[in-house]
Amino acid sequence: MKKIILLMFLIFSILTYSKTIAEFIEINRETNINFDEISKILENKFGNFTFVKRQISYNSKLTFNIFKNPNIADYGIYIKINNIKKEEKITKNVLFIRNDNSGTYVYFKNIYVPITSKKRYDYDGKNYFLSKNGKYIYLDNYLWAKNEEDKFIEFSGYYKKELKTIKTYKYSLNGIYELVDFKTSFVVSSGSLNTSSSNKETLIKSSLNKINFNFKKFYNEKPKIALYISKNGYESIENKLYDYIRTNFENDGRYAVLDRNNLDKLFEEKKLDMITKNTNKVASNFKNVEYIILLQVNMYKKEKYSTYNEYNFLNNVYGEYSNNYKLDVGTYYNEVKNKDKITYTPSATGIYVKTIKTPWDRKPKYLNIKNFYTKIGNVDLKEDIILNYTYRIIDLKTATLLGEKTNSINKDLYLSKPTNFYGGIESDIESTAINSIVYNISKDMSYNIMTIFPIRTTVNKVINNEVFINSGLNYGVLPFSIYRIIDKYKTIGQVRVVLPMLKESKTKIISLKDKNSIPKSGDLAYEDFYFIKPLGFSIGINSCGLENFGFEFKYRFFNIYNETKSFISFINSYNIQNITDEFNEIYKKYETNFNLSLGFNLFSTNYLNVFAGGGIIYFLDKSSLNIYPMLEINSLKKDKNFSIYFRVSYTNNTIEELVGFETDF
């Protein structure tokens, strides 16, 4: 019985034991957020922790400071809400509301078409005749109808056009959170509270729901870095940029991060002895930062300007343009070939349309076009957001500059642009453009700094084609990342991470130097940011000379020894013919073909590779498709970037020979 009671007491103690978190909350007073609301949400979300209010401040002015039994705090959470931004988007929407009495539009071919008559018709199998409640109406401005009968369309109601100005609002909260282990003084969990919503009432809760206590174990081998941003008077963008960057570094997992900008709220010298008994250890860790990353916004500005743009909106009823050509609306043509002479004649069954001849054209063009467009010109009001920034990485122990980059990035924002050819206008939300800028800068920084601190580990074991390395999520190993395997100071191959686990990762061999290079336990695994791309670009010229040529794009698939085992190629080829037109003028006509082929390696020698396969060729002008077999001999070597090839195929009962060269990129 005593054992049962003791066991129940032990279980109760485990279940009721909770870590204590001290709250440090800083709020911009203009947001009108009550700190009690934040505390309540935290306590409800993380009921297994005990929260103790430590410090509340509005606009960096201390208004509330309590320290009760300060030695019990295990962690400190710092929450800072910088601002809530309200943005207005004005959209002039064109609405079409069904109104059979006063409506003057009908819906046809995915657009609303104005009508000139409301007469209704029925059909007796031979003719259309007037009928008060007929099923059809006559659409006289259906200019691309093949014939008069096509202009009788099924009646689906009349619509009335209304122009309505709609205002929508977007609320964006900007803030961050950081959870700090007071025993080590390093951030164990952090993230951005940035949230956007059209509903301000739910914004706070949605923002705080982003808090995730994903505790990261501290390892002495991890680079200990501190982040710092210089204040140059661009507070809103600086705060947002800083939050993104810090979150990226925390999520990477390869660093032990100390946030100099915000942790002073937690580690002011006068408060160290009140927060933890381990004052000396905290102060020591605080000073033992090895690297510092300095970020500075050099320039941030917005410039408004106007540009004239033309927009094409789909209109298969009476559109006057296609492929930037103005068309002779309403007439189709058939192509008539007579020996080497081609003429075009009007025909209801034709597939060609005629372009309007411009002053610099010798004659009109006849094009095979499926869709037509209405073109409108508009003077768009734009705003160009420009940001110039610099970041530096410094080794504090040696006072060495490890890396530095200055860059500019900009994003265009539309203040007004048309949405259709009925008169609709919309604008972009500014925060969307700013978020894009901030995201790209933080991504650029994260990647470049990552290359300075690559993950170094060792091979644990090798099972067939799988290599297990001695680092995992605990060191920030990411899926699909590449590691170089090194044996006796020489690279023997590369592996790609398939599954990162807590303390190890499963990888797959993607390349080996040769068949004798096999990874083994104890080999060094070094994170690599450059790997062989299985992509080759080639240009082919066929055996008929310059009258038949093509451009080829080839994607090659490699085995682990970097040898091509198969390829997919796409060829855009042109056949030049001398044609006499209806004006008895001789001109060169380019027949266009599209070719997709697939080849497999039959065998390889030191000098040649032989591939066999097949492909599909589409003759654009003839609208015909053929399938053919193919054989290719290629001089490609795995260590060379240039090769010559000879290809033979059998198409249209004719042997086609193609000679070309290719180069990798």
Side-chain angles (χ1 to χ4, degrees), residues 510-512 532 558-564 637-639:
I510 57 173
S511 69
L512 290 177
I532 299 170
F558 296 94
N559 60 21
I560 61 174
Y561 305 109
N562 242 2
E563 299 167 341
T564 303
K637 293 184 179 180
K638 67 178 182 179
D639 297 326

Side-chain angles (χ1 to χ4, degrees), residues 251-404:
N251 292 338
D252 189 286
R254 73 184 61 212
Y255 314 103
V257 181
L258 179 62
D259 187 344
R260 292 268 189 183
N261 268 22
N262 295 322
L263 294 189
D264 56 354
K265 306 295 181 184
L266 299 171
F267 293 123
E268 288 178 353
E269 197 68 31
K270 63 182 179 180
K271 295 176 183 174
L272 283 174
D273 59 338
M274 304 177 71
I275 293 175
T276 177
K277 295 177 181 179
N278 301 307
T279 303
N280 294 331
K281 186 175 180 180
V282 172
S284 175
N285 282 335
F286 189 84
K287 295 173 183 176
N288 280 342
V289 171
E290 300 168 325
Y291 308 95
I292 188 167
I293 299 172
L294 304 174
L295 172 65
Q296 179 174 311
V297 177
N298 304 315
M299 181 267 292
Y300 175 64
K301 65 179 181 179
K302 304 173 186 177
E303 297 178 347
K304 290 184 179 180
Y305 64 100
S306 298
T307 59
Y308 176 81
N309 293 308
E310 292 183 338
Y311 295 86
N312 291 314
F313 296 103
L314 186 66
N315 183 349
N316 283 326
V317 179
Y318 54 89
E320 296 178 309
Y321 289 86
S322 191
N323 298 335
N324 290 322
Y325 290 107
K326 189 170 184 179
L327 306 175
D328 179 13
V329 180
T331 306
Y332 290 92
Y333 295 84
N334 267 334
E335 183 182 73
V336 180
K337 292 184 179 180
N338 184 11
K339 295 183 179 181
D340 291 336
K341 187 173 183 179
I342 295 178
T343 59
Y344 293 88
T345 58
S347 172
T349 61
I351 61 172
Y352 293 90
V353 296
K354 182 181 177 182
T355 64
I356 299 296
K357 191 173 72 169
T358 62
W360 49 87
D361 288 332
R362 289 175 48 236
K363 55 193 172 184
K365 296 180 176 65
Y366 294 89
L367 307 174
N368 185 352
I369 290 174
K370 298 292 189 296
N371 290 314
F372 307 100
Y373 299 84
T374 291
K375 179 182 288 188
I376 64 170
N378 188 68
V379 178
D380 296 333
L381 181 60
K382 285 179 159 185
E383 184 175 76
D384 192 17
I385 303 175
I386 309 168
L387 191 148
N388 179 273
Y389 62 97
T390 299
Y391 60 89
R392 300 176 179 87
I393 307 95
I394 299 173
D395 185 334
L396 295 179
K397 291 185 178 180
T398 62
T400 303
L401 180 65
L402 302 180
E404 179 180 23

Side-chain angles (χ1 to χ4, degrees), residues 64-105:
F64 186 73
N65 196 351
I66 296 179
F67 288 92
K68 293 182 179 179
N69 194 8
N71 294 326
I72 67 171
D74 300 294
Y75 302 96
I77 185 169
Y78 174 69
I79 294 177
K80 182 178 182 182
I81 298 178
N82 298 313
N83 58 65
I84 295 179
K85 185 176 182 180
K86 178 182 177 182
E87 294 179 279
E88 180 182 89
K89 179 177 181 178
I90 299 177
T91 305
K92 289 185 178 179
N93 279 355
V94 178
L95 306 178
F96 288 91
I97 302 170
R98 179 158 182 173
N99 188 324
D100 289 344
N101 294 322
S102 59
T104 57
Y105 287 81

Side-chain angles (χ1 to χ4, degrees), residues 564-565 599-604 609-613 630-632:
T564 303
K565 62 179 182 179
F600 298 91
N601 188 289
L602 292 181
F603 64 89
S604 300
N609 296 274
V610 179
F611 299 89
M630 175 268 296
L631 184 72
E632 177 177 309

